[in-house]
Every structure is written in structure tokens, then in C-alpha cells.
Amino acid sequence: MATTYIQQFEAKYPELQSAVESKDYSRVEQLAHLLKGASYSVGLEQTALLFHDLEVAGENAHLDGANETLATIESHSKRFLSEWNTHFEQFT
């Protein structure tokens, strides 16, 4: 499940960043919703809550602070990948 999450995050997160940058509110809402659900599925509740914030921001067409939220999500993601890789290496 974590591998699927990583693949989905790596595919969709750059799209979300682009949507925020271009102020494509509908796309921000859709992608944030997708990534929120994926984050919950692997137990990343704090990350999911941040995606929820972006989802609501897209829905309300109000992206102030979105870049800071994206930076925090990216930090969470790097930590998750590091922990996952460390865990995975123990079994190889």
C-alpha cells in the first residue's frame, strides 16, 4: 500500500503544485482530495489534513498560504520516504 501511495504522490503532487501556481481552483480541489484520501490510507493523518486544507482552498477559490502548505506537505513526504526506505532496507 505504501508503494502505491508513493507512486501516486510522485505522479500527482507535481500536478497539484502546477494547479496552485496557475490558480486552477477546480484542479487543486480534485488533486488535493485524491491525495488526502491516499494519505489517510497509509496513516499520514497530518499530511491528509494539509491536503484537506488545500481541497477547501480550491473549493473556495482562495489559495492564500497554499505555497506554505505545499512546502509543509513536501517536508512530510520527504520524512515518510526516508522512514519507508529505511524500513524497506531492513528486509532486503
Side-chain angles (χ1 to χ4, degrees):
M1 188 174 290
T3 303
T4 301
Y5 173 78
I6 292 166
Q7 291 170 343
Q8 188 172 45
F9 182 88
E10 289 176 346
K12 298 300 181 183
Y13 185 74
E15 289 182 41
L16 177 59
Q17 289 175 304
S18 294
V20 167
E21 188 174 311
S22 64
K23 296 186 185 202
D24 184 342
Y25 303 115
S26 175
R27 192 73 179 137
V28 169
E29 180 183 359
Q30 292 168 356
L31 290 166
H33 179 79
L34 174 80
L35 290 166
K36 175 185 74 175
S39 296
Y40 274 128
S41 74
V42 293
L44 297 176
E45 190 166 320
Q46 289 181 326
T47 303
L49 292 172
L50 292 167
F51 281 123
H52 174 75
D53 290 346
L54 287 174
E55 179 184 7
V56 171
E59 183 180 332
N60 294 328
H62 185 77
L63 295 176
D64 291 349
N67 287 319
E68 290 83 3
T69 302
L70 288 171
T72 303
I73 289 169
E74 198 160 333
S75 173
H76 287 199
S77 170
K78 287 178 182 177
R79 187 174 67 238
F80 174 77
L81 287 172
S82 174
E83 291 173 6
W84 172 254
N85 288 333
T86 299
H87 176 74
F88 184 71
E89 287 172 2
Q90 293 176 357
F91 298 102
T92 59

